Amino acid sequence: MKRNLLSLILVAGLSAPAIAAEPSSFQNFISASGPNLMDGTSVFRFAGIHMPEMHMIEDDARGGCPHGEGGMYYKLPTHEEQENWVKSQVRFGAKVQRIYVLSVARDNDEECGNRPVHILRPDTPDAMPQLNEQAMVVYDNLIALADKHGLRLILPFVDEWSWWGGRRELAKFYDEDEHAIYDLDSKTYAAYKDIIRQLTTRKNTITGRHYYDEKAIMIWETGNELEGTHKAFLNETSAWIKQHAPNQLVMDGNFKAIHDYALEDPNVDVISNHLYKFTGDPLPDVLKRDLAAVGGKKPYFVGEFGLTPVHEITGLMEAIVDTEIDGQNTAGAFVWASRGHRHEGGFYWHKEHTGVYSYHIPGFPVEGAANKEMEVIDSVRQAVASMNGQDAVPPLPVPEAPTLREIENPFKINWMGSPVGRYYDIQRATSEDGPWQLVGENISDGHNLWDPRTMDLFADTYNTLIPGMTYYYRVIAKNESGVSEPSNIQAVTFSQRNKEPYITFPSEQLKTRQYRATVLRSAVTDDGIPGLGVSTEWKQIGGPENGAKICHPKSLNTRVGFIKPGEYWFELSASDTADVAKKALKVEVRKSVNSPVSNFCDFATPVYDVSQAKVNIVTPSEHVSFTDEAGFHGPFAEQGDSLTWRVDAPWNGEFTVNVHFSGKWGAKVNSLVVNNKVYKVTFPETDASEHIKKVAVKLKKGRNKIKFAKLPKDYGFMFVKGISVTSEL
């Protein structure tokens, strides 16, 4: 009954009626004793993968919101999503999860889809901010589900940073300095304290308990990475939290260092740090220094680490489990970060500035291979087992049944994945009672970059379906421990008629000369039925025999070179697996006195680095361009800053210039100048490592001049390591 009521509340955006408090599923509040966290009389240690968005979602599939700094599209999770995520955590082996902060209203929220923030602007300049009831009911639900399924929570109040709105945005409510939260006499600090009061004393609309009585809430954290924390701020804040939530633990939300004033504060129960590579020191050494600094006085917790090569992540996790300094070990730790199943199928995802994507539990060997997902997840599971005193990692539980969503047509079949389900079988029948036929086997939903607007988990086979027939589908989840019960059943009547793909050419006839190449270009559209994509292939159907060479026959656009003159016909076929479309293109090749060319397809230069370029640096400048130890040249802050290379091409025609760059200072427009032709190029924001931007250009046979430059109206502030040139299109 409560679940159905909550679903109505979340849909309507209304406050829930008060519900009589029920006993917690937990026997004890977690407490602290010396260096240990305690569950009653038992030492309590934990490890996991951070899941920051259990109460609000950055919907990366929609892309960034173009309105204002840090613009993203956000939404609140559904009840089903939250319960799925909590179950995934617990069944994966987690005992604790640290979520992200409360979000704070920003100027661009309305333009970014009315972002459902937690902390609203005050009604008047002298008033306190209020909590958004719509968002807080979802927060209530997370706490209720965590208690129901046995997951403890660490809850930080506000953020140092502006991703979700943080201390800066709170200060803007009162036209105060962005650091005002650290001034105990400021309106911003008074608002921060009142947020703490409102949150810790809130009555949960699902459980009927005040937050200060929720045993699922293990720790209140002063905030996320509050690096302006000082002694007076921490003393006042920790005492304020303890005044309102005396049975729950308090953690200093500072990071990068262990401070004596935190160790001495009687109201701070837990010391934390985030172990990222702020210095060149090996992170296990940083861990040892932290443990020595804490010195057995209080439990120590690694709130975040990761975003580094997998061997560093697994090595630090092993050190977290095993390292003890004078009786002080690590109570718990979280790798950054994971995302959960989507309501409509697939997973949420996020790409970090280092290029690492969010992890998906229970891990996917193929889809997560580039992300080293299985290695990271296996390392965490091993850490959990070791902290629990187990000799081996216990097997995952058998997954529960997934939830099959309503089916629009047999080529768009989606389901909400099962907690710890790794693969899925899809069954079809012509009656709700069966018999059931296997039509899809070992289907994975563990893809990153999943976009439910354009992607579907499964498409049935077109030529096995009878028009007018009603079909019934169900899904079964699997992992190495076994198979689930079948999902709910969904029915759909097959009424779609496939249309063959539609082919267009920019030009119906091309002209070139013997011993030259031209590009066959095309575009193909399809109706999405049967949903398996479209394959294409070029072939010569007329003209001199052995007179042409198609470089990449299966590409939509391909170069073709000619060694004999004449009239040629090329045909493009496009298949959607049910029907095939074909269209022909004429190419007239005139006789030439050019030198014979034997290879029109394969050309690639090495990477030409900065040392092989002519460097132009404009001085004086506040940001004088230079080449760093990694070989990147930048930042091209002044108009005229440039790098110029000379490259020999084997023929006249189209080529790709690969610019090896880092956009660590953000996305910028700059210029690539090829033989005096200017190409304006938008370089994306990246991390500090090497990335490649491909630019299609025209080169002449022989010597070409290629220049990366900041020209008038360019932004500059880019870092370039070199270029290479290939014949790929």
Side-chain angles (χ1 to χ4, degrees), residues 401-610:
T403 302
L404 182 59
R405 298 305 182 196
E406 184 177 352
I407 299 173
E408 175 186 340
N409 67 59
F411 315 112
K412 295 180 176 293
I413 297 178
N414 294 287
W415 57 89
M416 186 176 189
S418 172
V420 301
R422 210 185 299 274
Y423 301 107
Y424 299 86
D425 291 346
I426 298 88
Q427 297 178 339
R428 185 184 73 199
T430 54
S431 165
E432 193 169 3
D433 298 322
W436 294 94
Q437 174 189 359
L438 183 68
V439 293
E441 187 175 16
N442 293 331
I443 307 300
S444 171
D445 65 349
H447 306 270
N448 266 306
L449 297 172
W450 186 261
D451 187 346
R453 299 170 299 180
T454 59
M455 298 176 179
D456 299 286
L457 291 172
F458 180 71
D460 208 347
T461 305
Y462 181 82
N463 58 16
T464 67
L465 302 171
I466 300 173
M469 178 73 75
T470 296
Y471 291 96
Y472 298 84
Y473 291 89
R474 67 184 190 182
V475 182
I476 295 172
K478 304 190 296 187
N479 64 22
E480 53 268 35
S481 297
V483 300
S484 73
E485 293 295 318
S487 71
N488 57 308
I489 296 170
Q490 295 282 6
V492 62
T493 300
F494 175 49
S495 59
Q496 290 73 27
R497 294 290 188 274
N498 183 57
K499 296 179 182 179
E500 68 179 28
Y502 182 68
I503 301 171
T504 57
F505 298 140
S507 175
E508 299 295 326
Q509 181 173 334
L510 302 175
K511 293 182 179 181
T512 188
R513 289 185 177 275
Q514 180 186 13
Y515 305 130
R516 289 189 179 179
T518 191
V519 177
L520 306 179
R521 296 192 181 278
S522 64
V524 176
T525 57
D526 188 55
D527 61 0
I529 298 173
L532 299 175
V534 177
S535 60
T536 59
E537 185 169 12
W538 288 96
K539 67 178 180 180
Q540 182 182 340
I541 59 172
E545 186 176 357
N546 299 322
K549 168 65 174 177
I550 302 173
C551 293
H552 302 288
K554 296 186 181 297
S555 297
L556 270 176
N557 304 311
T558 180
R559 182 180 285 104
V560 57
F562 300 94
I563 58 176
K564 296 180 182 179
E567 182 179 283
Y568 290 80
W569 286 91
F570 297 92
E571 180 183 81
L572 178 67
S573 61
S575 171
D576 62 7
T577 73
D579 289 295
V580 178
K582 297 181 179 181
K583 189 171 183 178
L585 176 65
K586 180 182 177 182
V587 181
E588 181 182 329
V589 180
R590 290 169 289 176
K591 190 172 183 179
S592 174
V593 295
N594 291 336
S595 302
V597 176
S598 60
N599 180 7
F600 292 98
C601 298
D602 303 315
F603 173 73
T605 70
V607 177
Y608 299 117
D609 63 22
V610 176

Side-chain angles (χ1 to χ4, degrees), residues 159-362:
D159 204 354
E160 173 76 9
W161 318 112
S162 293
W163 305 114
W164 284 20
R167 60 170 175 81
R168 293 178 178 86
E169 287 67 30
L170 198 62
K172 287 184 72 174
F173 292 169
Y174 305 101
D175 293 323
E176 292 186 322
D177 179 81
E178 65 176 30
H179 302 288
I181 196 172
Y182 301 116
D183 178 358
L184 304 192
D185 296 323
S186 68
K187 292 180 180 179
T188 303
Y189 183 70
Y192 167 65
K193 285 183 66 177
D194 200 64
I195 291 164
I196 292 172
R197 179 196 61 79
Q198 291 183 56
L199 192 65
T200 54
T201 63
R202 176 180 172 82
K203 192 170 186 179
N204 190 314
T205 57
I206 313 304
T207 68
R209 293 186 291 268
H210 289 93
Y211 275 21
Y212 55 70
D213 280 332
E214 294 281 13
K215 292 176 181 174
I217 300 176
M218 183 173 87
I219 296 175
W220 294 106
E221 187 176 8
T222 57
N224 177 62
E225 299 181 347
L226 296 181
E227 59 183 2
T229 295
H230 51 83
K231 180 178 180 179
F233 172 86
L234 184 60
N235 291 165
E236 178 74 15
T237 303
S238 62
W240 183 251
I241 298 170
K242 277 294 186 185
Q243 177 182 330
H244 293 92
N247 293 320
Q248 293 153 333
L249 301 175
V250 175
M251 183 163 69
D252 178 15
N254 200 349
F255 80 133
K256 294 185 180 178
I258 306 300
H259 296 282
D260 288 340
Y261 60 76
L263 293 169
E264 296 164 359
D265 190 323
N267 294 306
V268 173
D269 301 295
V270 182
I271 304 298
S272 73
N273 200 357
H274 295 178
L275 298 189
Y276 293 118
K277 299 188 77 170
F278 301 116
T279 69
D281 295 340
L283 292 178
D285 291 348
V286 178
L287 174 72
K288 292 175 183 177
R289 286 204 300 269
D290 280 2
L291 293 174
V294 177
K297 296 177 182 178
K298 294 181 179 181
Y300 170 78
F301 164 60
V302 179
E304 299 176 19
F305 73 98
L307 308 182
T308 55
V310 66
H311 71 276
E312 294 185 3
I313 296 174
T314 57
L316 181 55
M317 182 57 87
E318 291 173 3
I320 286 167
V321 172
D322 297 332
T323 303
E324 183 175 309
I325 305 291
D326 296 330
Q328 178 80 53
N329 63 10
T330 305
F334 290 124
V335 174
W336 185 271
S338 67
R339 301 297 190 275
H341 280 113
R342 299 185 74 109
H343 186 91
E344 64 272 60
F347 275 86
Y348 292 102
W349 55 271
H350 181 70
K351 184 180 181 182
E352 299 291 345
H353 68 282
T354 60
V356 174
Y357 284 89
S358 45
Y359 303 109
H360 294 147
I361 293 171

Side-chain angles (χ1 to χ4, degrees), residues 27-267:
Q27 183 176 356
N28 307 301
F29 286 97
I30 297 298
S31 61
S33 177
N36 297 317
L37 294 174
M38 305 295 295
D39 184 359
T41 59
S42 300
V43 173
F44 185 84
R45 296 185 76 195
F46 60 93
I49 300 180
H50 208 292
M51 195 170 191
E53 298 183 6
M54 298 183 81
H55 58 308
M56 191 169 80
I57 300 163
E58 292 180 8
D59 196 359
D60 288 71
R62 291 186 64 184
C65 169
H67 304 284
E69 179 186 358
M72 289 287 295
Y73 292 103
Y74 294 78
K75 65 179 183 178
L76 297 172
T78 68
H79 171 87
E80 283 184 274
E81 286 177 330
Q82 286 186 300
E83 186 155 37
N84 186 287
W85 303 342
V86 171
K87 288 179 177 178
S88 294
Q89 289 288 317
V90 173
R91 295 174 188 179
F92 156 77
K95 295 187 286 188
V96 180
Q97 185 51 252
R98 175 182 180 263
I99 65 172
Y100 207 47
V101 295
L102 296 178
S103 54
V104 182
R106 290 192 303 218
D107 294 337
N108 63 355
D109 286 339
E110 185 175 347
E111 291 87 348
C112 293
N114 291 314
R115 193 170 67 109
V117 296
H118 299 93
I119 301 173
L120 300 173
R121 300 176 188 279
D123 294 332
T124 66
D126 292 323
M128 292 292 99
Q130 297 299 310
L131 297 178
N132 175 7
E133 188 63 18
Q134 179 193 20
M136 290 312 301
V137 169
V138 176
Y139 207 86
D140 291 346
N141 191 52
L142 173 61
I143 295 168
L145 290 169
D147 189 285
K148 175 182 176 181
H149 295 289
L151 185 70
R152 307 275 189 171
L153 296 173
I154 299 172
L155 304 179
F157 292 108
V158 298
D159 204 354
E160 173 76 9
W161 318 112
S162 293
W163 305 114
W164 284 20
R167 60 170 175 81
R168 293 178 178 86
E169 287 67 30
L170 198 62
K172 287 184 72 174
F173 292 169
Y174 305 101
D175 293 323
E176 292 186 322
D177 179 81
E178 65 176 30
H179 302 288
I181 196 172
Y182 301 116
D183 178 358
L184 304 192
D185 296 323
S186 68
K187 292 180 180 179
T188 303
Y189 183 70
Y192 167 65
K193 285 183 66 177
D194 200 64
I195 291 164
I196 292 172
R197 179 196 61 79
Q198 291 183 56
L199 192 65
T200 54
T201 63
R202 176 180 172 82
K203 192 170 186 179
N204 190 314
T205 57
I206 313 304
T207 68
R209 293 186 291 268
H210 289 93
Y211 275 21
Y212 55 70
D213 280 332
E214 294 281 13
K215 292 176 181 174
I217 300 176
M218 183 173 87
I219 296 175
W220 294 106
E221 187 176 8
T222 57
N224 177 62
E225 299 181 347
L226 296 181
E227 59 183 2
T229 295
H230 51 83
K231 180 178 180 179
F233 172 86
L234 184 60
N235 291 165
E236 178 74 15
T237 303
S238 62
W240 183 251
I241 298 170
K242 277 294 186 185
Q243 177 182 330
H244 293 92
N247 293 320
Q248 293 153 333
L249 301 175
V250 175
M251 183 163 69
D252 178 15
N254 200 349
F255 80 133
K256 294 185 180 178
I258 306 300
H259 296 282
D260 288 340
Y261 60 76
L263 293 169
E264 296 164 359
D265 190 323
N267 294 306

